[in-house]
């Protein structure tokens, strides 16, 4: 989430312990904004953080959060959380429960209105509800009507009309539900905390001839990190010595370890399985891939999904309406119908309790937090709740071909020369020209030349890219063109029949044909093949099975080659020989016909098409800053099979959000209907409200069970 204050120098981020609901987070944010020296503040409920712009102290922040006993620490401070035994953490709840039971038995023995029974109930209320009353009464004087305020009013009201047992029961149920709710939210946030703990906090570093262990904060760019077998990497870097297999599951979700050798990129948080590696550090701790993932996921969890925005708007009007209705129920029947004040005060109190919108307000954010955290652990980075929801509504998916449906490592299969030209000389010219090109097929020509030992020392001048068609440059005084047949049709008017026939035959074999020539003649045909990914066919099939109406392959390649690959993969439609503008126009057309459309590519090429789609999905986000920054969703590994998993997770999230909202509103309506005949007791009201909150939270936690299967990366779990 961006802010107008993002560039402010006095910007500090703090972690907050103790948030139980979005309402509490909102009050805390408001309190912090009112602190002296604070310009602005933004609470991230999902990540349990607050960003403060201006000058303040941790002590002041904790004072602002005193109403909820919030604990605040600097984001960079290491927290060693030691879980206290349940009985020590919640002794007051246990003692209050014991006193409640004693009060019940004393009431049975000496009568419900006996002095001993009443005193025991009062002790139970005071011990169990001390923190509740402290917050609630403060908020009452500030006219802040949150759950604590409503509960305090209800319990004090119950005591005032002699319902001591009911008041004590409400206190116990509320205290227990608070403990369970806090536990549930911490469980939802655990997915991010587990990511934060992936990378080691120290590393063995060599500087010069000296080796020593240092904190990651003190590691400098260019330091050599020594990583032994069985150790995790603490920093991103490049391997400068050694060969090993690296388990990258923490970053990319890949279950199969990847072999790494000299000049290969490695990431912080990954596990070195076999050999000894020496890694040159290339990024600071705050710039490592895992740090960026954590930051982006936490920011994504702070973004309001469309369903959450609806719920927040609804709750804004719902809460005052409930308070007015409760006042009406309390006052109107006794004043105008002669009813008993005690009965209708009791019913008004019950309405206040059951009417609190906690379950409704928390129904969406807890689902979003859980789903985005789960996706990150499985190698899928979702940049916000809106993209998570949109992915579940997709009707059509367009794929870039090279590097997405294919492996992206094309090889030269044919180099056909014409006339008396030397193959080695033409290959050298083609390779030195393609060194200036960004096209994926250029690398195939360069690799071929290097493998054949061609001379690549020629100077290239007047290099120019011809968008969507090829390149031109001068080598040794000769102007060469390299590009697709369309380029040479334009240059020469037409290509002779024999050459055109040869090009067509190569294309029908699924090969991409590039032509090397001048503005006068064709010198060579270069046929390049890019193998289809092993997973592509199964992914397309699975997408159709889960209800995606249309899959489309968009490519700048020739129609014949595209048709061969499209047929092999069973893609519904193939669009070939497209320029970037053509892809953009086609995505716009798809959106008109299908509504929700995704474009999946490498995050660098086809940027306009990715931007124009409902959801832009980038392949291979690990180590690619552009993909992480520009895409709505990034598949961290070059693994297409994460796409069906992402769509299933999104649909599951949408379903659970709908279930939560429906259940939250449904339980309120049932409880409201029970008030008029007087069947809704105070303890039943709080049981309904807090029970609903717990149920929607636990329902959302089911999203943690949706996982990628290690064997084929398809989702398993609670589908």
């Amino acid at each position: 989430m961006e802010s107008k204050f993002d560039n402010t120098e006095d910007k500090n981020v703090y972690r907050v312990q103790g948030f139980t609901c979005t309402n509490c987070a909102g009050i805390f944010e408001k309190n912090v904004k009112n602190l002296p020296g604070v310009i602005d503040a933004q609470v991230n409920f999902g990540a349990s953080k607050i960003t403060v712009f201006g000058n303040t102290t941790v002590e002041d922040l904790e004072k602002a959060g005193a109403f909820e006993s919030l604990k605040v620490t600097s984001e960079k401070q290491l927290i060693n959380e030691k879980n206290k035994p349940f009985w020590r953490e919640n002794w007051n709840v246990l003692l209050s429960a014991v006193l409640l039971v004693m009060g019940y038995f004393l009431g049975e023995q000496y009568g419900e209105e006996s002095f001993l029974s009443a005193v025991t109930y009062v002790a139970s209320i005071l011990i169990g509800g001390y923190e509740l009353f402290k917050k609630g009464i403060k908020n009452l004087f500030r006219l802040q009507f949150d759950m604590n305020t409503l509960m305090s009013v209800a319990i004090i009201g119950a005591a005032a009309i002699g319902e001591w047992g009911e008041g004590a029961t409400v206190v116990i149920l509320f205290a227990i539900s608070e403990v369970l709710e806090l536990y549930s939210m911490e469980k939802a946030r655990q997915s991010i905390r587990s990511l934060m703990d992936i990378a080691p906090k120290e590393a063995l570093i060599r500087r010069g001839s000296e080796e020593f262990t240092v904190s990651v904060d003190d590691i400098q760019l260019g330091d050599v990190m020594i990583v032994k077998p069985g150790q995790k990497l603490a920093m991103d870097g490049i391997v400068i010595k050694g060969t090993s297999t690296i388990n990258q599951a923490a970053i990319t979700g890949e279950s199969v370890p990847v072999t790494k050798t000299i000049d290969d990129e490695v990431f912080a948080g990954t596990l070195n399985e076999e050999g000894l590696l020496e890694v040159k550090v290339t990024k600071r701790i705050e710039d490592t891939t895992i740090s960026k993932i954590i930051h982006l996921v936490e920011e994504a969890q702070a973004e309001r999904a469309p369903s959450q925005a609806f719920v927040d708007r609804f709750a804004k009007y719902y809460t005052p309406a409930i308070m007015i209705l409760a006042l009406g129920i309390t006052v109107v029947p006794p004043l105008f119908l002669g009813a008993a004040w005690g009965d209708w005060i009791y019913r008004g109190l019950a309405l206040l309790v059951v009417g609190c919108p906690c379950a409704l307000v928390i129904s969406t954010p807890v689902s979003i937090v859980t789903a985005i955290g789960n996706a990150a652990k499985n190698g899928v980075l979702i940049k916000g709740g809106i993209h998570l929801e949109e992915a579940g509504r997709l009707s059509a998916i367009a794929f870039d071909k090279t590097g997405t449906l294919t492996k992206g490592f094309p090889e030269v299969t044919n180099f056909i020369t014409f006339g008396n030209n030397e193959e080695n000389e033409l290959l050298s010219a083609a390779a030195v020209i393609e060194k200036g090109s960004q096209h994926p097929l250029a690398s195939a020509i360069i690799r071929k030349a290097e493998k054949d030992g061609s001379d690549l020392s020629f100077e290239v001048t007047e290099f120019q890219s011809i968008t969507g068609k090829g390149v031109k440059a001068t080598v040794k005084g000769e102007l060469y063109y390299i590009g697709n047949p369309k380029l040479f049709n334009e240059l020469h008017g037409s290509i002779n029949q024999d050459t055109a026939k040869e090009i067509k035959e190569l294309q029908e074999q699924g090969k991409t044909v590039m032509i090397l020539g001048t503005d006068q003649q064709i010198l060579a045909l270069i046929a390049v093949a890019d193998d289809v990914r092993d997973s592509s066919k199964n992914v397309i099939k699975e997408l159709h099975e889960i209800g995606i109406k249309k899959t489309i392959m968009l490519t700048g390649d020739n129609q014949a080659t595209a048709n061969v690959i499209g047929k092999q993969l069973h893609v519904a439609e193939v669009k070939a020989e497209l320029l970037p503008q053509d892809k953009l126009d086609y995505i716009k057309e798809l959106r008109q016909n299908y509504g929700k459309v995704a474009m999946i590519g490498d995050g660098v090429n086809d940027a306009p098409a990715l931007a124009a789609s409902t959801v832009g999905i980038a392949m291979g986000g690990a180590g690619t800053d552009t993909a992480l920054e520009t895409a709505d969703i990034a598949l961290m590994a070059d693994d297409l099979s994460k796409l069906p998993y992402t769509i299933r997770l999104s649909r599951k999230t949408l379903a659970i959000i709908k279930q939560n909202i429906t259940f939250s509103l449904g339980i309120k309506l049932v409880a409201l209907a029970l008030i008029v005949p007087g069947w809704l007791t105070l303890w039943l009201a709080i049981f309904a409200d807090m029970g609903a909150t717990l149920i929607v939270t636990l329902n959302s936690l089911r999203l943690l069970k949706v996982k990628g299967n290690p064997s084929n990366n398809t989702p398993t779990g609670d589908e």
Side-chain angles (χ1 to χ4, degrees), residues 289 292-293 296 380-383 600-605 607 610 616-638:
T289 301
K292 285 189 175 180
I293 291 171
L296 289 169
V380 180
L381 180 63
I382 302 173
K383 301 277 285 291
I600 178 164
D602 62 8
V604 180
N605 299 325
L610 284 165
I617 304 173
M619 287 282 287
T624 310
D625 290 346
T626 309
L628 289 176
E629 289 164 11
T630 60
D632 300 323
I633 296 175
L635 309 183
M636 300 307 291
D638 279 331

Side-chain angles (χ1 to χ4, degrees), residues 410-421:
E411 297 292 336
V412 174
T413 58
N414 306 79
F415 196 96
I416 303 164
T417 60
F418 297 97
N420 299 320
N421 295 294

Side-chain angles (χ1 to χ4, degrees), residues 382 385-395 397 548 596 598 614-615 617 633 643 646-651 654:
I382 302 173
I386 186 169
H387 309 307
L388 176 69
E389 289 196 12
E390 295 288 25
R393 298 187 177 106
L394 292 173
S395 298
I397 300 179
I548 297 298
K596 306 293 184 182
T614 311
V615 181
I617 304 173
I633 296 175
L643 185 57
T646 305
I647 292 171
R648 282 199 173 110
L649 177 66
S650 302
R651 290 180 177 177
L654 283 172

Side-chain angles (χ1 to χ4, degrees), residues 182-198:
L182 187 61
Y183 168 79
S184 301
M185 276 308 301
E186 288 302 305
K187 185 80 174 170
R189 294 186 181 114
Q190 223 168 30
S191 52
I192 298 304
R193 289 196 182 156
S194 62
L195 283 176
M196 292 166 64
D197 295 335
I198 283 171

Side-chain angles (χ1 to χ4, degrees), residues 75-76 216-221 234-236 268 281-296 625 628-629:
E75 184 184 36
K76 294 180 181 178
V216 290
D217 292 321
D218 299 323
I219 295 176
Q220 301 167 8
L221 296 179
M235 306 287 283
D236 284 13
V281 176
T282 56
K283 293 180 181 177
R284 299 185 188 280
I285 184 63
E286 63 270 18
D287 296 324
T288 60
T289 301
I290 188 68
S291 295
K292 285 189 175 180
I293 291 171
I294 292 167
H295 174 72
L296 289 169
D625 290 346
L628 289 176
E629 289 164 11

Side-chain angles (χ1 to χ4, degrees), residues 95-125 164-166 168-169:
L95 180 56
S96 181
V98 170
L99 289 169
L100 173 65
V101 173
M102 284 176 59
Y104 173 76
F105 282 114
L106 287 169
E108 287 289 306
Q109 190 167 353
Y110 299 108
E112 287 184 12
E113 297 181 4
S114 67
F115 177 76
L116 277 176
S117 175
V119 167
T120 311
Y121 281 138
V122 169
S124 174
I125 289 171
W164 299 104
E166 291 247 8
T169 305

